[in-house]
Amino acid sequence: MNILITGGAGFIGLALTDALRVAGHTVTPLDNLSVTSRRPSPKGLVVREVRALTPRDLDGVDTVIHLAALKSVPDSFETGNLEHNVAVDRHILHTFVVSTARRLLMASSCEVYGEQTGPLAENAPYAARSPYAVGKVASEQLAGIYRPLLGDGRQLGIVRFFNTFGPQEGADAVVPAFLSAVTGDRPLTIQGDGTQARDLTYIDDAIAMLTRVLDGPELLPVVNLGSGRAVPVRDVADAVIRAAGRGTITHAAPRINEISSFTADLSLFTRTYGTVDRTPLDAALALSLQSFGRPLTAAGPRR
């Protein structure tokens, strides 16, 4: 396939670009490089704004994978990332619909579920608790408006990511923030009491799930990509300290509108695409730690 990936220099975009190229696909990564990254840019990167894309740019493209976004939930309370993300998503939707490309796969987030109990299935109601999440809800609803405009054989799908982490991730999420702290000999800062739980998905597992989606005969309107297990943040901190062999923990005020738990219901994914092997959390953290600094000496965790 000939594939265009927006956000191709980002954490997930770079890993997906590499995996799809290894599988024999022709991949064009596109990114505006507005977000500072620890990673080298992928070969053949097109440095361009998504909103500068025209339908002609999609000539000869089979599949567009739209990952580009400003993704910080806390920052969304202070900045205009809601408006930015929705504008970018609307542009890619319109550009795709009037182009000759066959498929568009858009990235969304577990944040659209908000505060709900139990494993979160795709048919659960929206319950956004941040401007970022409101933007993702709006973009999913825009996709629902554009989907009926597609002709025969054309597809538009959405994947909802649940806390993907791994080597070389920017320190703007809980796992890389902990890894960055421990390798920098700083305390691991837990916002709140640490009982809030997150469904953590190692990057290799997330890419395996994405590949299954792309290799399937048809894109689902929306499907979860996660591990199916929620881990309390304080347990994640302890696991990072075990992997590093040292470290201390401190606490700060809770995040605004903190959500107590995210757990992906993977029933739909499994029925459609089968099961994917999971990397154990301790092993995934050890692999991720290697990209954040020097190895540390063995010691027990302290609070």
Side-chain angles (χ1 to χ4, degrees):
M1 288 189 292
N2 190 350
I3 299 170
L4 172 69
I5 300 179
T6 73
F11 172 55
I12 296 175
L14 181 57
L16 184 60
T17 295
D18 289 345
L20 291 175
R21 284 175 171 170
V22 167
H25 301 292
T26 299
V27 182
T28 301
L30 180 144
D31 203 294
N32 67 0
L33 299 180
S34 63
V35 177
T36 302
S37 174
R38 296 164 53 89
R39 300 167 297 276
S41 295
K43 183 179 296 185
L45 176 71
V46 175
V47 181
R48 193 174 182 187
E49 295 284 345
V50 173
R51 281 181 288 183
L53 287 172
T54 69
R56 179 165 293 184
D57 292 317
L58 303 188
D59 286 348
V61 173
D62 175 79
T63 299
V64 180
I65 304 171
H66 178 48
L67 304 176
L70 299 176
K71 67 182 184 68
S72 173
V73 173
D75 286 355
S76 73
F77 286 92
E78 304 292 338
T79 69
N81 80 12
L82 183 163
E83 295 86 353
H84 172 86
N85 288 342
V86 174
V88 169
D89 293 352
R90 180 177 181 179
H91 181 82
I92 200 71
L93 280 162
H94 175 75
T95 302
F96 166 71
V97 167
V98 299
S99 76
T100 60
R102 185 173 69 89
R103 301 192 301 175
L104 170 62
L105 183 64
M106 295 180 63
S108 187
S109 168
C110 61
E111 293 287 339
V112 301
Y113 292 115
E115 187 66 62
Q116 302 188 53
T117 58
L120 299 162
E122 290 83 355
N123 60 359
Y126 293 126
R129 286 175 58 85
S130 69
Y132 170 81
V134 169
K136 286 301 183 184
V137 170
S139 295
E140 288 196 11
Q141 292 181 323
L142 282 169
I145 292 170
Y146 279 97
R147 191 174 286 110
L149 305 180
L150 299 174
D152 291 343
R154 304 186 73 206
Q155 301 172 19
L156 168 55
I158 293 169
V159 288
R160 289 178 181 160
F161 286 99
F162 282 71
N163 296 91
T164 304
F165 74 97
Q168 299 294 341
E169 184 182 5
D172 59 350
V174 63
V175 172
F178 286 167
L179 295 172
S180 179
V182 78
T183 57
D185 295 321
R186 302 186 306 276
L188 283 66
T189 301
I190 295 176
Q191 294 175 291
D193 63 8
T195 59
Q196 67 270 31
R198 296 294 179 262
D199 185 315
L200 302 175
T201 314
Y202 186 56
I203 183 63
D204 290 0
D205 304 343
I207 295 303
M209 296 183 81
L210 271 172
T211 302
R212 292 280 184 90
V213 171
L214 292 167
D215 288 345
E218 187 171 1
L219 299 179
L220 296 174
V222 61
V223 65
N224 290 332
L225 296 189
S227 70
R229 177 191 173 208
V231 183
V233 168
R234 63 189 181 193
D235 291 353
V236 178
D238 284 339
V240 168
I241 289 171
R242 286 197 304 273
R246 62 184 293 176
T248 60
I249 293 173
T250 188
H251 290 263
R255 282 169 47 169
I256 300 173
N257 286 358
E258 181 70 277
I259 294 168
S260 60
S261 183
F262 284 118
T263 308
D265 184 327
L266 299 180
S267 301
L268 178 60
F269 181 94
T270 301
R271 288 198 306 271
T272 307
Y273 304 112
T275 59
V276 172
D277 291 338
R278 301 292 174 187
T279 307
L281 179 61
D282 283 353
L285 290 173
L287 291 167
S288 302
L289 185 65
Q290 295 172 12
S291 70
F292 279 83
R294 58 182 174 80
L296 301 173
T297 58
R302 302 191 307 274
R303 289 197 185 278

